[in-house]
Amino acid sequence: MNRRMVLNTLGYISVANAILMLLPTIVSIIYREACLWAFLITIGISLLMGLLLILLSRPGTKVIYAKEGFVIVSYAWLIMAGIGALPFVISGEIPSYVDAFFEMVSGFTTTGASILTDVEAMSKGLLFWRSFSHWIGGMGVLVFVMAIIPNISDRSIHILRAEMPGPEVGKLRPKAGDTAKILYLIYIVMTVVQIVLLLFGGMPLFESLVHTFGTAGTGGFGVKADSIASYSPYLQWVIAIFMIFFGVNFNLYYLILIRKIKSVFKSTELWAYLGIIIVSITLICINIYSMYDGFSETLRASVFQVASIISTTGYATTDFNLWPVLSKTVLLIIMIVGACAGSTAGGLKVSRAVILVKAVFREFKKMLHPRSVRVVKMEGKSVEENTLSSVTTYFAVYMMCVLMIFLCLGFEPFSIETNFSATLACFNNIGPGLGSVGPTSSYAQYSDFSKILLSIAMLLGRLEIYPLILGLNPVVWKKR
Amino acid sequence: MKIIIAGCGKIGESLIGALVKEGHDVIAIDKDSEALSEIINIYDVIGVCGISTDCEVLAEAGADKADMFIAVTGTDELNMLSCYIAKTLGAKHTIARIRDRAYNENNLDFLQQKLGLSMSINPERFAAYDIYHVLKFPSAVHVETFSTRNFEIIELILKENSPLSGVKVIDLRKLNPAKFLICAVQRGEQVYIPDGNFELRSGDKIALTAAPTEILKLLRGLKLTQKQAKNVMILGGSRTSYYLAKRLLASGSTVTIIDKDPVRCQELCDALPGATIILGDGANQELLLEEGLREVDAFVTLTNIDEENILISYYASSMNVPKIVTKVNRNEFIPLASNLGLDTIVSPRRTICDVILRLTRALHNSVGSNVEKLYKIMDGNAEALKFNVSPDFKYSNIPLKEIKFKKNILIAGIIRNNKALIPTGDDAIQLGDKVIVISTGHTLYDLADIIA
């Protein structure tokens, strides 16, 4: 275990956190809010801690292995959320640290689950910071650090692999640092385009920024109690379409960038993702047609909600808690599936779902023809047995974790629908669930114990389980 | 630069490591996905799984935009073909490993020209030439000859009770009439570029330069001479052995080769009429003694098994063989072998890496005072670089003592009108000179990089 290198990297994370917090500080200066001091104190703490770590650790060697990658990623996320929660507590707007921690974990993991009962009473600086954390967390904190600091480690692929979601992590460029830069470049361009489109639709600048951050990171924090419902249909459509865009594998955007558009259309995952969206929209449209007046409104409501849930964003334009059971079931199922690997979204990931389904069919055929040899194909290439078994194992571990958390929530006095959807909504980084945690209510009613449990669920979901479990396990800290 | 490496075997891996360290964008191709994922875990590169002669694989790796394509798979023909395809697709420079004797001796130029190869590499042949140079100067552990032949860097180890131990560098010139310069000193793991007050100790490995005419005089003065190895015993009949024996025979030495494979012995007999070929197991000490291990001037172990090479060399050193050369393939074993007191170690992989790095540095900067040659000295811990001085070098005609250089930089030689000059503080670099710079801890691309 290269502890010095781990501490050194965590120091850089802390400094990066301080730098990123300058943005909400500027916002609170513009709006002349009291939370300015909360930000300044937190920046001081974060900077001091980071510089101390960097100066004191002085790694002898920059070589890290998979183990260090896991440890760095899991602690980095805890530090970001831990420090990020301080401004809320210092300013007194969220007095309980557990609540503030839940809110920030929810921010960085791009969940968007909130314990706030009255969002509109919060100061602008804090609201901005909450949404900005979606934007940072969407592409990954360490990917960001990797993009700005050259040569953070000789073997940074281990960090990239531990933080990027999906069954396989492919680099776009030979150097991990260059890959991180390209990903962020694509991310920033798409963000800017959305901000411009929202401004064009008449949304004020502050709200455009907050909602774009929420969409880009597929998070879902807003500034209004009724989420997106009060905005014009044009704005709703823009947000819905961008939610679907941010759920697409970013490698495909890179392919468009280098003019390999043909291979984009060959992507199995993309077609599966779009297929699931269209089927879900059709089912829900038919199911809820009687509840809305006119086709266009029905379509808009179902498209927005499906896009919001499958991209694991969690914005809402209508209270889908009131929808019939079939529609709610469809939403629950696409909560689990999630969006494409290599996007900012959470969930199981479409590519895993496709591989799982194909593996199941192969198993069936094998039962009929025991000696047949078959390979599972994905993106035009055969999937290696290693990947296949890691996908099935991941699914098993995923189900186990979900069920464990669901079991622990059983102590709460809520309906099974509420508890189950809360588990899924947190684990898959969506935000609002059904029942008492539906789009119009919040997680405030849960006890502190459950809030911590759900925070862990959000981190497990965002980091895809292994890094957190392995990284926080004291065994890996032992000297070799 | 964007460099594609086809084949992730031993040489491929060493190359990838060296090139990534230099900061190049490297893409690795191999048909074995496990070997490839091993590489991706260790180095910051992209891997493409497939056969390197497949156009689609090459296109995926981006061969059309590659600055360099290096094919080092196990098969010569595959290497040549993939280089040809890569060149056709648009790769700027292609390098193939071609090991087969038939290709190397009969039609290498023809092949290189027809396939558009920038270079072909043959690790065994390079290693053999390395060994040959050392055997010419047996008191040195390593000899680096700069192509012009009038400048050499010799590495040697100061033995116990050497007259040089405890002597300061500044006093050394007074002791000795010959003009020479100590470029680098390796003590333990650390490499120093010594100044005048540096005190030498026994056990140090030193690299020194002198004009070739004065080298013998110098070594004699320092009581370091040892006669050229005339009677050489080679263990193992590998390709390296063949090239080495051929070179040695041509220079009039007697060569004995021991190998345990009858077929290989037969082939060597055919190819090397002047050599004595012994069929037998080199690990058998009785056999070695019987064949005259005690009488040879030099003993070279070139079997394909590192452990065997190291242990048998160790045995030979206990028999007081004057010069022992050990081939070690795995980089990890090199320090171990040095700890056993085996000072002259040859590694074909490292030799090849040096050759490729030299080429990439030279290509990196084709204008300005670019690197013409690069040599890794002191087990790769220091570099000797040869620069051409171009008109835009601002410090020409200024005496060296008035220029402020970076730390750990030394001007070891100036080559003017094909004559080597060991510089003093009063000499100045002139336009049209070639300058040899020793550095450690820097990556130099341009002569101007040495100025602080």
Side-chain angles (χ1 to χ4, degrees):
Chain A
M1 187 77 189
N2 190 346
R3 293 186 200 183
R4 285 173 178 274
M5 189 60 205
V6 172
L7 293 176
N8 187 271
T9 316
L10 292 179
Y12 278 114
I13 297 285
S14 197
V15 171
N17 190 34
I19 295 168
L20 290 169
M21 218 179 256
L22 288 174
L23 274 171
T25 315
I26 294 170
V27 172
S28 51
I29 291 173
I30 292 171
Y31 287 96
R32 298 173 193 282
E33 285 171 332
C35 62
L36 170 64
W37 290 106
F39 280 120
L40 289 180
I41 292 168
T42 316
I43 287 173
I45 295 172
S46 190
L47 211 56
L48 189 71
M49 191 173 114
L51 292 178
L52 276 179
L53 279 174
I54 292 171
L55 291 177
L56 294 181
S57 59
R58 294 185 192 211
T61 154
K62 281 185 163 186
V63 175
I64 58 164
Y65 299 95
K67 201 195 258 183
E68 282 86 352
F70 289 135
V71 174
I72 289 174
V73 169
S74 49
Y75 279 92
W77 281 73
L78 285 179
I79 288 177
M80 289 294 282
I83 297 177
L86 289 177
F88 293 95
V89 184
I90 296 174
S91 68
E93 297 201 24
I94 302 180
S96 149
Y97 186 78
V98 172
D99 282 356
F101 184 72
F102 179 92
E103 197 75 11
M104 267 339 271
V105 169
S106 168
F108 279 114
T109 59
T110 74
T111 307
S114 178
I115 48 85
L116 294 173
T117 39
D118 188 6
V119 185
E120 290 167 33
M122 297 284 288
S123 52
K124 293 270 200 304
L126 288 171
L127 282 179
F128 184 88
W129 172 234
R130 206 170 70 123
S131 292
F132 189 54
S133 68
H134 279 330
W135 194 82
I136 305 163
M139 196 49 89
V141 178
L142 283 147
V143 176
F144 178 76
V145 173
M146 219 184 273
I148 52 174
I149 298 172
N151 294 327
I152 184 144
S153 162
D154 296 349
R155 297 177 181 181
S156 35
I157 181 69
H158 293 301
I159 301 179
L160 202 65
R161 205 176 275 157
E163 195 176 46
M164 295 277 284
E168 270 180 332
V169 172
K171 283 195 280 185
L172 305 173
R173 300 290 306 275
K175 287 192 198 116
D178 289 352
T179 306
K181 270 185 207 120
I182 288 178
L183 287 176
Y184 259 96
L185 192 74
I186 296 170
Y187 195 43
I188 289 170
V189 168
M190 286 174 65
T191 307
V192 170
V193 170
Q194 196 193 344
I195 293 173
V196 170
L197 286 177
L198 289 182
L199 286 174
F200 184 69
M203 196 187 269
L205 178 64
F206 177 75
E207 284 164 44
S208 311
L209 285 174
V210 165
H211 287 121
T212 304
F213 291 153
T215 316
T218 67
F221 278 147
V223 290
K224 299 208 169 168
D226 61 356
S227 195
I228 309 293
S230 56
Y231 292 104
S232 71
Y234 164 78
L235 293 174
Q236 293 185 5
W237 275 112
V238 168
I239 291 177
I241 287 166
F242 270 88
M243 284 192 290
I244 295 175
F245 279 169
F246 280 106
V248 173
N249 193 334
F250 273 54
N251 291 6
L252 297 184
Y253 295 126
Y254 178 68
L255 288 178
I256 294 176
L257 213 63
I258 58 169
R259 305 218 173 88
K260 285 190 180 169
I261 297 169
K262 257 188 201 163
S263 36
V264 173
F265 290 106
K266 282 186 198 152
S267 164
T268 325
E269 191 183 19
L270 180 68
W271 288 117
Y273 174 61
L274 296 177
I276 295 171
I277 292 177
I278 290 167
V279 170
S280 315
I281 291 173
T282 320
L283 276 175
I284 292 175
C285 261
I286 297 167
N287 194 236
I288 62 169
Y289 193 68
S290 56
M291 294 175 66
Y292 296 86
D293 36 314
F295 176 69
S296 77
E297 204 160 311
T298 319
L299 185 69
R300 179 155 46 84
S302 47
V303 168
F304 192 95
Q305 261 53 241
V306 166
S308 165
I309 298 291
I310 198 162
S311 68
T312 73
T313 310
Y315 282 135
T317 55
T318 177
D319 190 359
F320 49 78
N321 227 348
L322 307 172
W323 283 3
V325 177
L326 175 68
S327 298
K328 286 205 268 186
T329 316
V330 169
L331 290 184
L332 267 186
I333 290 169
I334 59 175
M335 266 186 191
I336 297 176
V337 176
C340 301
S343 70
T344 59
L348 191 63
K349 305 287 163 349
V350 174
S351 65
R352 282 209 185 90
V354 173
I355 292 176
L356 277 173
V357 171
K358 288 190 174 181
V360 167
F361 275 111
R362 180 176 78 152
E363 213 55 32
F364 285 158
K365 280 184 184 145
K366 213 161 188 171
M367 282 172 189
L368 289 175
H369 307 280
R371 289 183 195 183
S372 67
V373 178
R374 301 190 142 265
V375 287
V376 173
K377 288 221 162 188
M378 180 84 186
E379 313 291 7
K381 284 182 185 164
S382 57
V383 179
E384 277 177 50
E385 290 299 316
N386 270 341
T387 316
L388 209 57
S389 75
S390 80
V391 168
T392 41
T393 317
Y394 180 79
F395 184 63
V397 176
Y398 171 90
M399 284 322 283
M400 275 192 268
C401 290
V402 167
L403 292 178
M404 286 284 282
I405 290 163
F406 180 46
L407 177 70
C408 295
L409 284 186
F411 295 105
E412 300 282 343
F414 300 114
S415 70
I416 285 192
E417 186 192 23
T418 305
N419 279 349
F420 190 62
S421 65
T423 311
L424 286 185
C426 285
F427 207 100
N428 298 315
N429 305 136
I430 292 146
L434 301 169
S436 315
V437 291
T440 52
S441 36
S442 80
Y443 283 76
Q445 348 152 31
Y446 274 106
S447 66
D448 277 359
F449 167 75
S450 300
K451 278 175 193 157
I452 291 174
L453 197 70
L454 289 172
S455 305
I456 294 170
M458 290 188 267
L459 283 170
L460 282 173
R462 171 59 180 86
L463 300 179
E464 305 214 313
I465 303 174
Y466 302 125
L468 198 65
I469 291 182
L470 298 174
L472 296 184
N473 192 335
V475 174
V476 300
W477 277 91
K478 274 196 185 151
K479 277 195 175 157
R480 266 182 259 241
Chain B
M1 278 203 291
K2 186 175 170 186
I3 302 175
I4 301 178
I5 295 186
C8 296
K10 294 177 206 151
I11 297 257
E13 192 189 336
S14 306
L15 275 178
I16 291 170
L19 291 171
V20 168
K21 211 170 174 189
E22 290 266 304
H24 297 294
D25 284 355
V26 179
I27 295 133
I29 303 181
D30 201 294
K31 62 175 191 290
D32 178 4
S33 67
E34 268 177 38
L36 203 57
S37 55
E38 192 90 330
I39 295 282
I40 296 170
N41 276 336
I42 302 178
Y43 305 104
D44 199 359
V45 300
I46 287 192
V48 177
C49 191
I51 293 177
S52 56
T53 45
D54 183 344
C55 270
E56 233 167 75
V57 171
L58 288 177
E60 195 186 333
D64 50 330
K65 292 199 184 82
D67 296 301
M68 197 183 277
F69 180 90
I70 307 174
V72 284
T73 67
T75 322
D76 286 350
E77 291 76 12
L78 206 59
N79 292 340
M80 289 192 265
L81 188 56
S82 45
C83 275
Y84 178 68
I85 298 172
K87 183 89 193 176
T88 320
L89 285 176
K92 281 201 198 97
H93 296 274
T94 52
I95 299 171
R97 169 160 80 164
I98 304 178
R99 300 204 292 183
D100 198 281
R101 219 174 70 205
Y103 293 130
N104 268 291
E105 288 181 352
N106 303 336
N107 46 10
L108 195 61
D109 289 341
F110 170 76
L111 280 175
Q112 285 192 11
Q113 197 191 349
K114 287 292 169 197
L115 297 172
L117 294 175
S118 306
M119 191 193 203
S120 70
I121 47 179
N122 184 348
E124 285 80 8
R125 195 172 183 169
F126 283 126
Y129 288 0
D130 258 11
I131 300 172
Y132 175 75
H133 281 300
V134 170
L135 293 182
K136 263 198 343 191
F137 269 115
S139 52
V141 293
H142 187 85
V143 179
E144 201 65 84
T145 311
F146 281 70
S147 57
T148 40
R149 298 263 163 140
N150 44 25
F151 193 84
E152 281 177 335
I153 293 182
I154 298 179
E155 289 176 26
L156 31 88
I157 289 177
L158 297 184
K159 300 235 162 64
E160 291 284 324
N161 62 46
S162 154
L164 292 187
S165 82
V167 179
K168 281 189 177 167
V169 171
I170 203 162
D171 300 328
L172 217 53
R173 287 211 175 178
K174 293 172 199 154
L175 277 177
N176 213 289
K179 257 191 147 185
F180 73 102
L181 189 67
I182 295 189
C183 321
V185 178
Q186 185 173 14
R187 185 173 293 164
E189 299 274 293
Q190 192 69 36
V191 172
Y192 304 91
I193 301 232
D195 57 6
N197 292 321
F198 194 89
E199 196 180 295
L200 298 172
R201 279 189 224 153
S202 57
D204 284 354
K205 186 179 191 177
I206 61 174
L208 53 83
T209 61
T213 44
E214 303 208 349
I215 271 191
L216 266 177
K217 203 162 79 188
L218 171 74
L219 293 178
R220 224 172 278 141
L222 301 176
K223 299 200 175 58
L224 288 166
T225 38
Q226 199 176 330
K227 69 177 165 82
Q228 188 175 346
K230 277 290 178 193
N231 185 359
V232 181
M233 183 185 275
I234 301 173
L235 187 67
S238 58
R239 286 196 184 95
T240 319
S241 317
Y242 167 78
Y243 292 119
L244 175 62
K246 202 172 166 203
R247 204 70 198 259
L248 285 170
L249 288 169
S251 71
S253 308
T254 21
V255 178
T256 311
I257 301 180
I258 304 176
D259 199 281
K260 54 186 166 198
D261 178 16
V263 181
R264 186 68 194 149
C265 283
Q266 201 69 49
E267 282 170 16
L268 286 171
C269 255
D270 266 353
L272 301 165
T276 316
I277 313 289
I278 308 286
L279 174 63
D281 184 0
N284 183 346
Q285 301 179 351
E286 204 57 41
L287 176 93
L288 292 178
L289 293 177
E290 192 184 322
E291 292 309 325
L293 180 67
R294 284 206 182 90
E295 288 86 48
V296 295
D297 300 326
F299 181 66
V300 185
T301 52
L302 295 174
T303 71
N304 288 323
I305 304 163
D306 284 351
E307 294 85 338
E308 209 172 297
N309 289 342
I310 293 172
L311 288 174
I312 298 174
S313 297
Y314 186 58
Y315 169 70
S317 79
S318 73
M319 289 285 119
N320 295 324
V321 175
K323 183 72 196 172
I324 297 164
V325 180
T326 315
K327 184 181 91 165
V328 178
N329 265 325
R330 299 175 70 106
N331 287 342
E332 307 91 280
F333 284 168
I334 293 174
L336 293 179
S338 320
N339 287 347
L340 285 175
L342 305 173
D343 48 20
T344 311
I345 291 161
V346 170
S347 155
R349 280 204 239 172
R350 193 175 272 183
T351 315
I352 285 301
C353 286
D354 290 357
V355 171
I356 300 286
L357 285 191
R358 214 174 285 169
L359 188 65
T360 54
R361 289 266 187 104
L363 289 176
H364 190 272
N365 187 356
S366 51
V367 286
S369 306
N370 57 310
V371 182
E372 189 188 281
K373 294 270 172 189
L374 174 145
Y375 296 92
K376 293 267 182 185
I377 57 172
M378 294 298 194
D379 292 339
N381 292 318
E383 289 175 349
L385 301 111
K386 186 165 143 195
F387 289 99
N388 287 318
V389 180
S390 69
D392 51 344
F393 182 67
K394 294 193 190 80
Y395 295 84
S396 22
N397 299 325
I398 300 176
L400 294 179
K401 61 184 174 192
E402 287 172 23
I403 305 178
K404 209 165 155 35
F405 294 108
K406 281 184 188 159
K407 261 189 160 178
N408 291 329
I409 291 269
L410 179 90
I411 305 234
I414 298 175
I415 297 174
R416 190 170 294 158
N417 304 327
N418 268 333
K419 273 197 173 154
L421 183 84
I422 308 291
T424 60
D426 299 320
D427 290 312
I429 297 171
Q430 292 177 9
L431 185 64
D433 285 353
K434 292 178 189 334
V435 179
I436 290 161
V437 175
I438 311 283
S439 86
T440 154
H442 301 283
T443 303
L444 304 174
Y445 290 110
D446 193 289
L447 190 54
D449 292 346
I450 66 173
I451 312 291

